Amino acid sequence: MLEAFRVGLQELGYVEGQNIAIEYRYAAGKTERLSDLAAELVHLKVDVILSLATQPTLAAKQATSTIPIIFTNVGDPVASGIVTGLARPGRNITGFTPRIFELDAKRLELLKGAVPNVRRVAVLWNPDFPPHRQWLNSVKTAAQALRVDLQLVEFRSFKDFAHAVETSSRGSQALLLMAHPLIVDHAVHLADLTVKSRLPTVAHFREFAEAGGLMAYGANLPDMLRRAATYVDKVLKGTAPGDLPVQQPTSFDLVINLRTAKVLDLRIPESVLIQANAMLE
């Protein structure tokens, strides 16, 4: 995703190390470090902060009310308290949202379509991640409409994934991964775990399917980072972030890994296949 951001900058005439410098800070999954990392960037007096995901954005917002902040991959920036509205976010912050919270119900529908006989679906979620509690409501509503039972399986760190997938495979016939930075960071590991557990799984980003997971449905996250470069450019040229509307995706990708479907002895119905933007064979 960062490479996509750099490509977006290059398209606008910025070359890292020549006419633009980038300071990178990673929390490595340790959210308690985010406040200190954001404070470091403020201390360096950077011209703009780019944040990936909800919690880093909240940390950046708390650290500064003057340095412009461009966020990406924030599922619900209004409910999270990051902006006051999408059209006019206000103050020093704006960005791009993949509308993750609106799509979990659709992912459950697609998973049910791909595995028609599924009766119970495990949902991997983090109770310490505030957006998940809100998003669960839409998943539960969709499950009732689809006549599917849910098994809620918790995770809090990377170390929980193996046990969580094993628990899911014992209690359910399929798995829904709720959007979370750790799931993005460890897509390959999770894809491997779900296939070894013979558990049809859907996630919110295409890289999961490309890594070997069964399905993914959502916005194209690298493209969102590439587009974020246009907002960085505008801010560097003097536009106030609060005057730039929060951008939403106009299309979504459904990616199906047919190789994985074969490994799982799963024949995906044509009604689902025709909706796919990409099928990996």
Side-chain angles (χ1 to χ4, degrees):
M1 289 192 287
L2 285 175
E3 180 58 29
F5 174 66
R6 286 189 285 262
V7 168
L9 289 176
Q10 291 168 6
E11 292 172 348
L12 295 165
Y14 297 96
V15 179
E16 188 176 359
Q18 294 185 18
N19 58 358
I20 193 168
I22 304 177
E23 291 283 345
Y24 298 94
R25 294 295 185 274
Y26 299 96
K30 299 178 180 178
T31 56
E32 66 274 11
R33 297 186 58 207
L34 289 170
S35 294
D36 290 340
L37 295 177
E40 285 182 23
L41 295 176
V42 172
H43 180 72
L44 290 172
K45 298 181 180 180
V46 297
D47 295 300
V48 61
I49 294 174
L50 176 74
S51 60
L52 281 69
T54 300
Q55 289 171 305
T57 303
L58 288 169
K61 182 181 180 182
Q62 186 177 15
T64 179
S65 60
T66 56
I67 296 176
I69 300 168
I70 309 298
F71 62 78
T72 62
N73 201 21
V74 172
D76 190 343
V78 176
S80 300
I82 291 171
V83 299
T84 55
L86 298 183
R88 299 194 68 82
R91 299 187 67 178
N92 65 317
I93 191 165
T94 188
F96 295 77
T97 174
R99 290 169 52 188
I100 291 170
F101 68 100
E102 297 179 11
L103 299 177
D104 280 318
K106 178 64 175 178
R107 292 185 193 97
L108 185 61
E109 177 186 328
L110 288 167
L111 190 58
K112 168 68 174 175
V115 194
N117 295 328
V118 66
R119 301 180 304 279
R120 196 173 194 221
V121 174
V123 179
L124 193 62
W125 76 298
N126 186 332
D128 297 333
F129 187 56
H132 277 187
R133 295 190 179 276
Q134 176 193 357
W135 301 344
L136 273 176
N137 292 328
S138 65
V139 176
K140 291 176 180 178
T141 299
Q144 290 178 346
L146 295 168
R147 297 181 181 180
V148 170
D149 294 328
L150 297 180
Q151 175 192 9
L152 301 184
V153 181
E154 299 180 2
F155 77 93
R156 287 179 168 84
S157 73
F158 164 77
K159 296 178 182 179
D160 298 329
F161 284 148
H163 178 69
V165 172
E166 180 185 358
T167 299
S168 300
S169 66
R170 290 200 307 264
S172 300
Q173 296 90 41
L175 173 63
L176 168 67
L177 302 178
M178 296 193 74
H180 190 278
L182 278 177
I183 287 176
V184 176
D185 290 344
H186 300 287
V188 174
H189 180 59
L190 276 165
D192 184 58
L193 287 173
T194 58
V195 173
K196 287 182 177 178
S197 297
R198 303 190 62 77
L199 197 60
T201 303
V202 63
H204 67 286
F205 59 109
R206 67 178 295 136
E207 289 76 13
F208 174 75
E210 291 172 347
L214 178 65
M215 298 172 61
Y217 179 74
N220 187 307
L221 301 186
D223 181 65
M224 193 171 296
L225 265 292
R226 185 185 61 80
R227 292 167 57 204
T230 64
Y231 268 19
V232 169
D233 177 56
K234 290 179 184 295
V235 167
L236 291 177
K237 291 177 177 175
T239 303
D243 292 337
L244 297 171
V246 175
Q247 294 286 327
Q248 303 178 65
T250 56
S251 61
F252 303 96
D253 294 336
L254 171 60
V255 182
I256 300 174
N257 192 317
L258 296 180
R259 297 190 302 270
T260 298
K262 185 175 181 179
V263 170
L264 298 176
D265 294 324
L266 182 64
R267 181 169 184 149
I268 299 178
E270 187 67 23
S271 59
V272 176
L273 293 177
I274 61 173
Q275 300 179 59
N277 303 81
M279 290 184 282
L280 309 178
E281 301 186 77

